[in-house]
Amino acid sequence: MDVVVLKVEDPGCFWLAVKECVPGVVSEIVYEILNDEMQQFYDNYKDAGEIKREEIEKGQVYVVFSEELQCWCRALVESVQHQADGCQLGCFLVDYARYCSVASEDMRVLVRAFAEIPHRAKKCRLYCTKPLTLRIDYCEDTAKIGPAKRWDTAAIQHFRKLLEEATEVKATVQAVEEKVLEVFLFVTVRDDKICVNDDLIAKHFAYYKEAEGSSSDDSDNEVSLNAKYVPVEFIGPTFVARPKLPFGEVSPLVEPGLAGWSSALEKICQRSSTAINGNTVPVANMVPGLPSKEDKAVQTDRLPQFLNSNSLQTHTVEDDQQSLQNVGEEKNFVFLSKKIEPSSVLETAPLFDGLKKELSWNKFSGPTFTESYCWPPAAQGYDVIVISHQGKDPLLYIPPVLTLLQLESDYQALPNMGGPLALILCPGWKKAQLVFDLLKTYRKSCRYLHPMLVILGQNKEAASQVEIRDCRVVVTTPHNLLRLLEHNTWLLCRLCHLLLDEIEVLLSDTAEKVFTILDCYKKAAAQARGNPSRQIIAVGTQWNKHIIPLIKEFMNDPYIVITVIEEAAIFGNVHQVVQPCMSSSRTAELLKILDFTQRNLHKVLVCTDSVTEVEMIHKALKSNSIASLKKHKESKCNAKCVLERWRKMHSSGTPAVLVLADDCLQPLGITDATCVIHFSFPSPAVFRQRLQCMTDNFCTVIKDSAVDQEHTKAKSVILLTENSSCHAPGILHCLKRAEAEIPEELHDSAARVRESEENEKFSRPLCASLKTFGICRNRTACPYRHQINLSTDMAQNTADEMIETPDRVTILPLHIVHATNYFGRIVKKQKDQYTVLAKEMNDYFKVPEHRISVNIVEKSVFYGLREGAICHRVQVVETPAKDEENVCEVTIKYIDEGRTSEVKSDQLLHLPVKFQSLPAQAVEIIVCRVKPIDNEVEWNPKVTDHINHKIKGKLHHAKVVHTLGKTVWVDPMVRVTNLPVLKMWINEYSIRSEILSTGLGTDNPEHIAEIKKLCRQMPVLDHAENLEHLSTKEDTAGLEEVSSPQDTLIEENPAESCNTSATPPSDDAVQAKEAEDSTVHQQKGCHPQIKWFQDNGTVTLRLQILKAADSKCEFSKEEVVFSAYSEGRLYAADLELYQSIIAEKSTCVIKDREAVILLVKEKKGEWCKLLKNKNVHVSLDFEHWEESEDERPFTVDSAKLSYPPAGYEDGIESSEDSDTESDD
């Protein structure tokens, strides 16, 4: 496994952290999340959990703030030194392997949730490698090497040097003794692979000592320093010399290469296991699946396979009656519909030799556990479905399919046409590009592969121009394939292998299109001559209900491989039940459930998370004459005894109930339970463990519904209480896909947790997808914020151009993020302040004496940077953790352009204060109302490259529809050209039209409305004047008109703009009315959030207030006064209406989650707004709003040179997009 070296003392004492994801070992991602959660918790509650001096115990783990790391860390107290003013504690940081000294008042209690995760730093020593030292006998004038108690300084220095120079470090754990891992350590130094254990022995720094229990004991043996008396042998591809010291014989190398390397090491390990009787035993909790020296067992199946980057996976899984396995000590899980003999070593994998060599050359680290099961059937041409956490990896299907494509004889009967033999369907262009790049990597070893990536736009001519010749593999998406099939109906005639990548995404987002493609494939296969073999492989991370018709209608008895327990439970038709109850009545509810299950002779497990509850449940069952057994970590009866008694009860016809604590699930290894009752609400991880207890009863019959009771053998019952909200979202997601009946209480609990999680993101950046397209596809998984944060989004140091942004601006794009997102400057025509500043800076830094390099670089400080003859203002955003050298790489941001870069620290120059007074000029620019086709979430690079080439560094004119801090939404944005000879301005192009013309973009009409809706939902501002920074551009009809060429460029028909004068564009700002917050004057109570919509005769107000009590609503001709109590708080609203109503006919209805006020208009017709004065708590209800004819876009006569109304969409389009005969 890949590891990171944290701290080195000597070869017998060093600390490692596991870098890669290894089953049973906590991954680095978990520790990153833990670190973030700890920082947030202890920063927000700095005084929480303070410890009294006398309460601190040596050997306990607490939380301290590390000045070196600048973060909160878990720390083990190793020493306590009492002083007059307190205690000074010597601590060891268990996640970073560092020592520190802290005062007792800086200690904090370690919260239980943070204590449950194992320590990241694992203490290690080299396996069976003991120190040697030089012993000089001056009397006899001889020098001999002999065993030592301590490592020599030279050995320690050599050991540290190897680790410092290593570009890759790997370790295989051989045993555990007193919580110390004994490892074989491997390093890669300048492309040489070295076994550190062997290297130290070869250089006489160490000797090999048998593990405890070995028959040989060479502690007193000594070896002369004379080299001729130290015979050596060479082992493995690195030719590491292992001295044949008197520690037992080593068999010669059987064969070169990887097999010989493994064989030699296997023999070495076997020497240390000669005294072992019986099977290996499980080890301490820190590394599951390893032997413990305390039990005198050594696991011999974890042999270093260094060239393969992983330990040899020699676990064999016995197939049982239900084709369900729990794999060895690694705790791997696999569900198989049919028996498969796994192939866990690359050398024996069913792949052709050339591909194996190519995989080894590219440092392929597999086959993984999932690959070892799915490769054999796939390589034999069978249909395969794979559901795994690894389901996004194309290597699950690419190697076996490439192997099949090398069999020329299988495809000779196919028609001699240009279609591919294999077709890979991916959910989007980005994944398709990744798969295509992977195929190009391995095409050297495959004859005539010629892979092809097909990504088409919506332009009809694009599909007709695609030619597929001598191409065996095509990679594309469902949308693009259907476009291609419209022009090439013969495309699937030669197709033999259809590969569905990320099947759960394909069948969720494009199910109809996928089944259309499957129908075409089925018809093409039926018409084929010679009956060639056909294959469908589907891989993914989750089971999907549409997989059932895929299996029944299009696949031929597929092999199903599922390595995720909860997904196997969904396929296995486990009946999921959620039973709401009060926490105090769980026992009574449990007795009701058991009354039913006993009549059906179920083998029942009652699972909970505490010893106390196990005892309580067992006592309650006993008092109700229900025979039951109990098991928890404090119970005297061992696991084997409990299992035997439980199974005897069931076989004798007695209902079998076992009350179990969660920490006993794995030791017992139960797999044949028929019912699991979750007495305590489980986390997703615990839920998986509990479900695994029923795996023998998972159904293997393909069923039509997840709730098909005819094929239901296993049942899972969750007791949902008022305290079960913590893990509700994860469990809810699983239950939804299992088609379980979900009570409203679980939905409410999950909603509260999601709201809390969203609030925790409040300090993170605003979601880029939300800004760019107005929507985020997966807010739950998205790590970014989805609500306005005034302190972050409303920039404090903002340029005047942003504060006074008019409707029409001149924009200079300088950094292109993607097709519709740029960074640049808003330029003033008359006197641009930055132009003046840039000239002054260039003149200043032309003088060599003014170029003063920076000695100490500080974060967030402004500096100057000279690139050729141009000088920039930059800000340091990231510096190295340690400045060991005077010159280092630093990350900077160009504050007037928006881009970031890395430069040498000596390139930064001192920036005089006079050049820092002007605020940063870079603004974020987003072009509205256009998005990628096919529901893609990112722009295709072709579009971005096209726009980048067209607009970067060129002045454009735009209409601002919305601003938020330093972000500007524009629609349209055009390039304007002046023709002085003809005395006219013309639109050269519109960016939106350019994107649409590529065929890779489509209309996004909801974009602007979604952005404005987002901003209306922001928290209440402290001062009404701050609202000036939020320009929503709602009421522009009465703005003063400016007769300039720039204004006319916003007209719909671009040809009519040629009639304007030759006056250059101006940027005179038209100031909107200052927003007035009416709630400033409301001193009593909180103001509810109000959404409103209207029809011709009424206005409906929806006041968001939960379970309103003591409500009052008074109507007058032009005013509505509402008040109510909710959860002990008073809510009040005094609304001064824009127009009159009929008070007698207006009504107010109180509902469970809102109050609905219906206002009857005195005069029928549309209201342009609800209130006379703007109120930040009142917003339009877009779910019910219907746009009137008067609000829709219209063409403006060019002679009037007037602004279009607010919300106008197609302001500037190129002439080819106009349906009018504008050229006339």
Side-chain angles (χ1 to χ4, degrees):
M1 56 188 177
D2 288 328
V3 295
V4 178
V5 181
L6 301 178
K7 182 178 177 64
V8 176
E9 290 186 3
D10 57 51
C13 183
F14 52 95
W15 283 266
L16 302 176
V18 180
K19 187 177 179 182
E20 66 177 345
C21 292
V22 178
V25 179
V26 178
S27 66
E28 282 291 288
I29 298 176
V30 175
Y31 288 109
E32 292 174 5
I33 296 173
L34 170 67
N35 185 58
D36 292 341
E37 296 292 338
M38 285 180 60
Q39 307 318 309
Q40 183 173 358
F41 179 84
Y42 289 103
D43 284 341
N44 292 338
Y45 304 97
K46 294 184 178 180
D47 297 329
E50 289 189 349
I51 308 171
K52 295 181 180 179
R53 177 172 56 180
E54 57 270 19
E55 294 177 351
I56 297 175
E57 297 179 15
K58 184 178 177 181
Q60 296 298 316
V61 179
Y62 300 93
V63 175
V64 302
F65 186 83
S66 171
E67 295 293 341
E68 180 184 4
L69 299 173
Q70 287 295 302
C71 65
W72 293 94
C73 309
R74 298 187 293 178
L76 175 69
V77 176
E78 294 190 342
S79 64
V80 180
Q81 183 178 359
H82 295 278
Q83 299 176 349
D85 56 345
C87 291
Q88 200 68 19
L89 308 170
C91 298
F92 178 75
L93 305 183
V94 297
D95 294 323
Y96 301 94
R98 300 190 185 189
Y99 292 97
C100 68
S101 180
V102 296
S104 57
E105 57 265 26
D106 294 329
M107 303 286 288
R108 297 289 183 270
V109 173
L110 179 61
V111 177
R112 179 181 176 185
F114 299 148
E116 293 176 349
I117 298 178
H119 301 163
R120 174 172 174 262
K122 306 290 190 295
K123 190 174 182 179
C124 306
R125 59 170 168 253
L126 296 181
Y127 177 65
C128 293
T129 307
K130 304 299 179 181
L132 288 174
T133 190
L134 179 65
R135 295 178 179 176
I136 300 176
D137 190 335
Y138 292 99
C139 297
E140 298 182 4
D141 196 23
T142 60
K144 296 181 179 179
I145 291 178
K149 294 182 179 180
R150 298 180 181 178
W151 289 91
D152 280 352
T153 304
I156 297 173
Q157 290 177 348
H158 178 71
F159 181 67
R160 288 178 174 173
K161 184 178 179 182
L162 281 176
L163 297 180
E164 289 172 359
E165 294 179 352
T167 56
E168 183 181 29
V169 182
K170 292 180 179 290
T172 58
V173 184
Q174 302 300 311
V176 178
E177 183 179 20
E178 298 177 350
K179 296 186 178 181
V180 178
L181 307 184
E182 296 200 352
V183 302
F184 274 115
L185 201 62
F186 303 90
V187 296
T188 302
V189 179
R190 292 184 290 275
D191 295 330
D192 290 330
K193 297 180 175 64
I194 301 171
C195 174
V196 177
N197 306 56
D198 285 346
D199 190 69
L200 290 174
I201 293 172
K203 292 180 171 57
H204 312 311
F205 291 129
Y207 70 96
Y208 186 93
K209 183 179 180 181
E210 299 286 352
E212 290 184 13
S214 175
S215 59
S216 62
D217 185 1
D218 304 286
S219 59
D220 297 327
N221 289 326
E222 295 181 347
V223 181
S224 171
L225 270 180
N226 194 327
K228 68 181 182 180
Y229 295 117
V230 187
V232 298
E233 66 174 358
F234 294 95
I235 297 179
T238 56
F239 297 105
V240 177
R242 181 192 295 278
K244 276 195 175 180
L245 302 176
F247 310 128
E249 292 296 320
V250 180
S251 301
L253 193 63
V254 177
E255 57 183 303
L258 183 62
W261 174 237
S262 302
S263 176
L265 287 175
E266 184 174 5
K267 291 185 174 77
I268 294 168
C269 292
Q270 286 175 349
R271 292 185 310 181
S272 56
S273 60
T274 54
I276 299 174
N277 295 321
N279 297 326
T280 61
V281 296
V283 83
N285 293 332
M286 53 192 305
V287 180
L290 297 178
S292 171
K293 277 195 174 181
E294 296 176 359
D295 298 308
K296 295 186 178 181
V298 177
Q299 188 180 15
T300 60
D301 61 340
R302 289 178 170 268
L303 305 175
Q305 187 188 355
F306 191 48
L307 286 184
N308 200 21
S309 303
N310 266 356
S311 300
L312 289 170
Q313 298 181 354
T314 58
H315 295 295
T316 58
V317 183
E318 297 296 333
D319 182 56
D320 62 9
Q321 297 297 324
Q322 301 297 330
S323 301
L324 198 64
Q325 293 102 359
N326 184 8
V327 181
E329 302 295 337
E330 289 290 343
K331 301 302 180 186
N332 283 325
F333 169 86
V334 62
F335 179 96
L336 303 174
S337 62
K338 292 185 285 186
K339 184 176 179 178
I340 298 174
E341 191 66 34
S343 179
S344 57
V345 183
L346 183 60
E347 282 63 37
T348 60
L351 310 177
F352 70 96
D353 293 338
L355 183 57
K356 291 181 185 178
K357 292 179 182 178
E358 192 74 24
L359 288 167
S360 299
W361 182 259
N362 287 281
K363 299 181 179 179
F364 173 66
S365 60
T368 63
F369 179 78
T370 305
E371 290 165 350
S372 69
Y373 279 94
C374 69
W375 280 4
Q380 295 177 49
Y382 293 109
D383 290 349
V384 181
I385 292 178
V386 183
I387 304 296
S388 167
H389 288 306
Q390 192 192 344
K392 294 183 179 181
D393 188 355
L395 288 178
L396 286 174
Y397 57 82
I398 285 180
V401 170
L402 293 185
T403 298
L404 290 172
L405 290 176
Q406 301 309 300
L407 305 175
E408 297 287 342
S409 58
D410 290 0
Y411 309 107
Q412 291 178 353
L414 296 174
N416 189 18
M417 302 177 69
L421 296 176
L423 174 66
I424 303 177
L425 281 184
C426 299
W429 70 262
K430 196 168 187 178
K431 183 61 180 289
Q433 183 69 55
L434 185 149
V435 173
F436 177 67
D437 293 340
L438 204 58
L439 288 170
K440 289 195 296 183
T441 301
Y442 296 109
R443 66 181 175 184
K444 296 178 183 177
S445 60
C446 305
R447 295 171 296 173
Y448 316 115
L449 184 60
H450 305 303
M452 183 175 183
L453 176 66
V454 178
I455 301 295
L456 304 172
Q458 292 179 325
N459 297 339
K460 294 182 179 180
E461 62 275 9
S464 60
Q465 295 173 358
V466 174
E467 293 185 3
I468 299 178
R469 295 180 180 176
D470 300 326
C471 169
R472 294 199 168 191
V473 184
V474 168
V475 186
T476 187
T477 68
H479 293 88
N480 288 290
L481 180 61
L482 290 177
R483 294 186 191 111
L484 199 59
L485 287 174
E486 290 180 5
H487 296 271
N488 302 285
T489 54
W490 47 264
L491 187 66
L492 305 182
C493 291
R494 289 170 48 86
L495 187 63
C496 295
H497 310 280
L498 179 58
L499 314 172
L500 305 177
D501 191 293
E502 295 188 42
I503 186 67
E504 75 281 1
V505 181
L506 288 175
L507 295 182
S508 297
D509 298 343
T510 57
E512 184 179 348
K513 290 180 170 54
V514 170
F515 281 106
T516 300
I517 294 168
L518 287 167
D519 283 330
C520 295
Y521 175 54
K522 188 175 182 179
K523 292 176 182 177
Q527 298 172 1
R529 291 177 297 177
N531 193 26
S533 60
R534 307 284 177 173
Q535 182 184 41
I536 297 178
I537 299 177
V539 301
T541 59
Q542 293 181 350
W543 187 264
N544 186 285
K545 62 182 180 181
H546 294 297
I547 297 179
I548 300 301
L550 169 65
I551 294 173
K552 289 189 172 183
E553 298 178 25
F554 302 101
M555 302 183 83
N556 181 21
D557 191 19
Y559 282 80
I560 301 175
V561 179
I562 305 178
T563 61
V564 186
I565 295 174
E566 60 266 40
E567 303 305 323
I570 294 174
F571 170 78
N573 205 20
V574 175
H575 186 202
Q576 300 283 358
V577 178
V578 182
Q579 185 62 48
C581 63
M582 298 300 295
S583 181
S584 58
S585 62
R586 282 187 298 169
T587 305
E589 198 66 42
L590 172 64
L591 294 174
K592 294 180 184 177
I593 298 169
L594 289 176
D595 183 55
F596 169 78
T597 56
Q598 284 184 344
R599 292 197 298 267
N600 293 273
L601 287 179
H602 284 292
K603 297 179 71 174
V604 181
L605 283 182
V606 181
C607 298
T608 187
D609 57 4
S610 71
V611 174
T612 305
E613 288 188 343
V614 170
E615 293 289 347
M616 180 195 71
I617 297 168
H618 181 65
K619 185 177 180 180
L621 297 180
K622 187 176 180 181
S623 63
N624 283 270
S625 302
I626 298 177
S628 66
L629 301 172
K630 65 178 180 179
K631 183 70 179 82
H632 54 72
K633 60 183 179 181
E634 297 178 7
S635 58
K636 297 179 181 179
C637 189
N638 61 41
K640 186 176 181 181
C641 175
V642 171
L643 281 178
E644 288 179 356
R645 291 174 59 190
W646 188 52
R647 284 166 181 160
K648 284 181 180 178
M649 290 171 61
H650 183 263
S651 60
S652 64
T654 304
V657 179
L658 175 58
V659 186
L660 198 61
D662 289 332
D663 52 12
C664 297
L665 287 169
Q666 288 190 0
L668 285 173
I670 296 172
T671 58
D672 59 348
T674 56
C675 180
V676 171
I677 301 175
H678 308 267
F679 191 82
S680 63
F681 196 83
S683 66
V686 172
F687 188 60
R688 286 191 287 270
Q689 287 185 356
R690 294 176 180 178
L691 290 178
Q692 193 167 357
C693 296
M694 301 186 291
T695 50
D696 288 354
N697 292 301
F698 285 2
C699 181
T700 57
V701 179
I702 303 296
K703 72 282 180 187
D704 294 318
S705 172
V707 292
D708 187 354
Q709 297 300 313
E710 183 181 350
H711 300 116
T712 298
K713 294 182 181 180
K715 186 176 183 179
S716 167
V717 183
I718 299 176
L719 298 183
L720 176 68
T721 71
E722 68 276 13
N723 303 320
S724 304
S725 61
C726 181
H727 302 293
I731 301 299
L732 176 64
H733 179 68
C734 183
L735 296 179
K736 279 184 176 178
R737 294 190 303 106
E739 299 182 12
E741 293 184 11
I742 301 172
E744 190 65 29
E745 291 87 346
L746 184 56
H747 284 289
D748 294 341
S749 296
R752 287 194 294 270
V753 174
R754 290 195 184 102
E755 183 179 358
S756 175
E757 291 174 347
E758 192 66 35
N759 292 335
E760 290 174 1
K761 304 175 186 177
F762 202 59
S763 60
R764 299 180 185 178
L766 188 62
C767 174
S769 178
L770 193 62
K771 290 194 293 184
T772 308
F773 307 122
I775 187 174
C776 179
R777 298 284 178 81
N778 191 352
R779 293 197 177 198
T780 304
C782 178
Y784 299 106
R785 176 167 45 89
H786 301 92
Q787 55 185 324
I788 300 298
N789 181 345
L790 295 179
S791 61
T792 302
D793 297 323
M794 303 303 297
Q796 300 298 316
N797 188 17
T798 307
D800 294 339
E801 287 80 357
M802 284 298 301
I803 297 175
E804 301 175 357
T805 299
D807 276 349
R808 316 300 194 271
V809 294
T810 302
I811 291 176
L812 182 64
L814 298 170
H815 172 56
I816 312 302
V817 179
H818 55 67
T820 56
N821 186 201
Y822 332 120
F823 284 88
R825 290 192 294 112
I826 295 177
V827 180
K828 282 191 174 182
K829 286 289 185 180
Q830 293 155 349
K831 186 180 180 181
D832 185 59
Q833 292 178 318
Y834 179 75
T835 303
V836 176
L837 175 69
K839 184 179 184 305
E840 292 176 356
M841 281 200 305
N842 290 333
D843 294 340
Y844 177 83
F845 286 112
K846 280 181 181 178
V847 181
E849 291 78 9
H850 293 165
R851 302 174 204 155
I852 305 172
S853 297
V854 179
N855 295 325
I856 301 176
V857 177
E858 298 180 33
K859 191 175 179 179
S860 303
V861 175
F862 294 107
Y863 298 102
L865 178 66
R866 200 160 184 264
E867 293 181 341
I870 302 175
C871 294
H872 302 276
R873 298 188 301 169
V874 300
Q875 182 182 29
V876 175
V877 295
E878 188 176 343
T879 58
K882 289 186 177 180
D883 297 333
E884 298 179 357
E885 302 178 359
N886 293 330
V887 179
C888 58
E889 291 276 348
V890 295
T891 304
I892 60 169
K893 181 177 181 179
Y894 294 76
I895 64 173
D896 300 310
E897 295 184 10
R899 60 188 171 102
T900 58
S901 179
E902 288 189 356
V903 298
K904 296 287 186 182
S905 57
D906 59 351
Q907 293 180 253
L908 301 179
L909 308 174
H910 281 286
L911 187 67
V913 178
K914 64 179 180 179
F915 297 142
Q916 301 183 30
S917 58
L918 184 68
Q921 298 293 295
V923 298
E924 185 178 18
I925 305 152
I926 297 174
V927 174
C928 299
R929 292 192 308 110
V930 63
K931 62 182 179 181
I933 61 172
D934 303 338
N935 290 322
E936 296 277 5
V937 295
E938 295 183 47
W939 284 107
N940 191 299
K942 295 179 182 178
V943 188
T944 300
D945 293 344
H946 174 69
I947 297 299
N948 180 47
H949 176 74
K950 205 165 189 71
I951 74 172
K952 187 175 181 180
K954 300 177 183 178
L955 287 173
H956 290 74
H957 294 265
K959 176 188 174 184
V960 177
V961 295
H962 196 80
T963 63
L964 178 64
K966 290 190 174 183
T967 303
V968 181
W969 284 266
V970 296
D971 184 31
M973 180 172 169
V974 297
R975 169 73 171 164
V976 179
T977 301
N978 181 20
L979 301 178
V981 178
L982 301 177
K983 297 182 179 181
M984 67 172 61
W985 295 83
I986 63 169
N987 297 338
E988 187 175 335
Y989 59 79
S990 163
I991 291 180
R992 182 172 178 274
S993 298
E994 285 292 320
I995 294 174
L996 294 174
S997 67
T998 64
L1000 297 171
T1002 187
D1003 192 35
N1004 184 14
E1006 301 86 8
H1007 186 186
I1008 300 173
E1010 289 296 327
I1011 295 300
K1012 293 182 178 180
K1013 180 180 178 181
L1014 171 71
C1015 293
R1016 290 192 187 100
Q1017 295 173 351
M1018 73 174 65
V1020 181
L1021 297 174
D1022 293 334
H1023 302 285
E1025 59 268 17
N1026 288 341
L1027 290 175
E1028 294 177 2
H1029 299 293
L1030 258 169
S1031 180
T1032 55
K1033 312 295 178 188
E1034 291 179 345
D1035 304 314
T1036 58
L1039 296 180
E1040 179 183 354
E1041 308 295 345
V1042 180
S1043 180
S1044 71
Q1046 185 176 342
D1047 301 333
T1048 62
L1049 297 172
I1050 309 300
E1051 305 303 331
E1052 179 168 2
N1053 191 342
E1056 295 182 12
S1057 63
C1058 297
N1059 297 327
T1060 63
S1061 64
T1063 307
S1066 66
D1067 289 295
D1068 295 338
V1070 180
Q1071 299 297 330
K1073 294 181 181 181
E1074 181 179 355
E1076 180 178 347
D1077 186 0
S1078 62
T1079 62
V1080 173
H1081 305 291
Q1082 296 180 3
Q1083 302 297 329
K1084 296 182 179 181
C1086 304
H1087 199 297
Q1089 294 295 323
I1090 302 174
K1091 294 185 177 182
W1092 73 282
F1093 61 93
Q1094 63 174 322
D1095 56 28
N1096 196 43
T1098 62
V1099 176
T1100 303
L1101 280 63
R1102 298 170 62 196
L1103 287 69
Q1104 299 175 15
I1105 177 170
L1106 282 173
K1107 299 179 180 178
D1110 298 332
S1111 61
K1112 296 181 181 179
C1113 188
E1114 299 177 357
F1115 300 97
S1116 61
K1117 189 173 183 180
E1118 294 183 350
E1119 188 178 20
V1120 177
V1121 180
F1122 174 85
S1123 64
Y1125 285 91
S1126 175
E1127 299 179 346
R1129 299 179 66 181
L1130 173 64
Y1131 288 84
D1134 190 349
L1135 308 175
E1136 190 176 357
L1137 302 175
Y1138 179 69
Q1139 292 190 25
S1140 301
I1141 63 171
I1142 303 175
E1144 295 79 11
K1145 296 184 179 181
S1146 301
T1147 59
C1148 176
V1149 179
I1150 303 299
K1151 297 185 177 180
D1152 186 43
R1153 294 180 174 273
E1154 64 182 3
V1156 180
I1157 298 176
L1158 182 67
L1159 305 179
V1160 180
K1161 298 177 182 178
E1162 187 177 66
K1163 295 181 179 179
K1164 292 185 178 182
E1166 299 292 332
W1167 287 10
C1168 62
K1169 58 183 180 179
L1170 177 66
L1171 307 177
K1172 289 183 178 179
N1173 300 317
K1174 184 171 291 185
N1175 186 327
V1176 293
H1177 302 287
V1178 180
S1179 61
L1180 285 173
D1181 189 344
F1182 285 94
E1183 295 179 3
H1184 298 84
W1185 188 267
E1186 294 184 1
E1187 190 179 41
S1188 66
E1189 292 293 336
D1190 296 336
E1191 292 175 316
R1192 293 175 183 166
F1194 60 94
T1195 304
V1196 181
D1197 190 351
S1198 63
K1200 296 182 180 180
L1201 299 179
S1202 62
Y1203 287 137
Y1208 171 63
E1209 297 179 10
D1210 288 312
I1212 308 175
E1213 296 290 350
S1214 56
S1215 57
E1216 62 267 22
D1217 293 330
S1218 176
D1219 293 330
T1220 61
E1221 298 180 359
S1222 57
D1223 294 337
D1224 295 337

